[in-house]
Amino acid sequence: MINGSIVALITPMLSDGTVDYASLERLVAFHIEQGTDAIVAVGTTGESATLPADEHVAVVAQTVRFVAGRIPVIAGNGANATAEAISLTKALASTGVDAMLGVTPYYNKPTQAGLVAHFKAIAAVTDIPQILYNVPGRTGVDLLPAATSELAKVSNIIGLKDATGQVSRLPQLRELCGPDFLLFSGDDATACEFMLLGGNGVISVTNNVAPAQFKAMCDAALAGNAELANHLDAPMRGLYSSLFCEANPIPVKWAVDRMGLISHGHLRLPLTQLSDNFHEEVVNAMIKARIEVL
């Protein structure tokens, strides 16, 4: 089972915009050393929107190679066109990934019936487990519990990453989707509470910069130790805010660069570098979370 502390891994890039594979290998080694339970490669935090399909698949394949079977790798396979998502899913099937994570189609705002049809069509072209990803704040569409329940009946749709921040949905999702359907938080600020209420883990942005701390919090929450989990969560709460002071992954890439884990926090346009007026805020949050800043 995939569970626990899962990193939505950034995709390191060089100044010319090409993928920095040396830094990617270093990041994979860092997360395995720090105890991260699984890696999402080229999800939305990995800038999937600006990587063409061939490069997207290449980065996932290299991530799988660097991981070498030590922890699960989940590939982002989302798109706002169903045909594009199907094509990407077929291409990713040869990389050796353990599962795929598909974000809801963005901008075009499909109906609930459209969302169900979209994800069923993707799941039908592969045997690889599929995880749904609902993040209405970024996509403009909300995959509701009833539609999720319908999709949970598909044999290889195994879970949901819920980034609504609405922890109150968890009991309804669990009741509708059953005990074996995996429920992951996609909202770092409420992830601790989500797991204490019965969630299976979190696919996290913050995990990029505080993997050991985040892993310890997740382990405590999944064990039902609320006092310890909240104690471990408290120093990271500043990160939950500061890492979203500008659009993700702008702040987190800058933070990982300040840790010396990548050569530079380059992004592809239309994303730009973190504004100078946010540097102090992010550094202070990192220090409070006991992260060494260069």
Side-chain angles (χ1 to χ4, degrees):
M1 182 187 293
I2 299 171
N3 61 11
S5 181
I6 304 166
V7 63
L9 194 67
I10 61 169
T11 300
M13 297 174 183
L14 299 169
S15 58
D16 62 358
T18 58
V19 175
D20 180 359
Y21 285 104
S23 289
L24 179 62
E25 184 172 17
R26 190 158 54 246
L27 287 175
V28 167
F30 172 68
H31 279 283
I32 291 173
E33 176 191 329
Q34 296 290 303
T36 297
D37 290 306
I39 289 173
V40 171
V42 200
T44 50
T45 298
E47 297 177 73
S48 57
T50 55
L51 270 68
D54 57 345
E55 192 174 29
H56 184 130
V57 173
V59 174
V60 170
Q62 282 293 84
T63 304
V64 170
R65 187 172 73 83
F66 293 149
V67 168
R70 290 172 288 179
I71 58 176
V73 177
I74 304 162
N77 70 329
N80 67 337
T82 305
E84 182 181 348
I86 287 172
S87 177
L88 183 58
T89 298
K90 289 178 177 178
L92 288 167
S94 63
T95 62
V97 294
D98 299 281
M100 299 185 196
L101 176 69
V103 68
T104 53
Y106 47 88
Y107 184 78
N108 42 18
K109 293 188 176 181
T111 63
Q112 296 299 298
L115 290 170
V116 170
H118 171 80
F119 284 116
K120 282 185 175 181
I122 296 166
V125 302
T126 183
D127 294 328
I128 296 173
Q130 302 292 303
I131 301 170
L132 313 169
Y133 178 18
N134 188 32
V135 55
R138 292 293 290 257
T139 63
V141 64
D142 189 0
L143 179 67
L144 298 174
T148 306
S149 174
E150 179 67 21
L151 289 165
K153 298 173 185 176
V154 179
S155 61
N156 64 328
I157 296 180
I158 64 166
L160 168 72
K161 175 185 176 182
D162 180 4
T164 64
Q166 298 177 30
V167 179
S168 59
R169 282 190 180 186
L170 181 58
Q172 182 184 16
L173 284 165
R174 180 60 73 206
E175 181 179 0
L176 289 172
C177 299
D180 297 328
F181 192 73
L182 300 174
L183 295 173
F184 302 110
S185 172
D187 178 62
D188 290 350
T190 57
C192 182
E193 181 183 3
F194 187 94
M195 288 180 283
L196 287 168
L197 289 173
N200 298 99
V202 53
I203 299 175
S204 166
V205 172
T206 303
N207 197 348
N208 279 281
V209 298
Q213 299 94 315
F214 212 78
K215 164 69 171 172
M217 182 275 288
C218 289
D219 286 351
L222 290 172
N225 190 334
E227 182 178 359
L228 178 58
N230 282 302
H231 172 74
L232 294 169
D233 192 54
M236 294 187 287
R237 288 172 189 160
L239 286 173
Y240 302 156
S241 173
S242 67
L243 291 182
F244 294 90
C245 62
E246 289 188 331
N248 180 52
I250 293 172
V252 71
K253 262 198 160 177
W254 186 87
V256 174
D257 178 35
R258 289 300 304 268
M259 296 169 68
L261 292 171
I262 57 178
S263 59
H264 197 282
H266 291 291
L267 305 106
R268 288 185 182 173
L269 289 172
L271 297 182
T272 54
Q273 292 295 311
L274 182 68
S275 301
D276 291 349
N277 56 301
F278 289 119
H279 290 190
E280 184 177 359
E281 175 186 338
V282 175
V283 167
N284 287 340
M286 293 171 72
I287 292 170
K288 187 172 183 180
R290 297 185 292 275
I291 298 166
E292 186 176 348
V293 181
L294 299 180

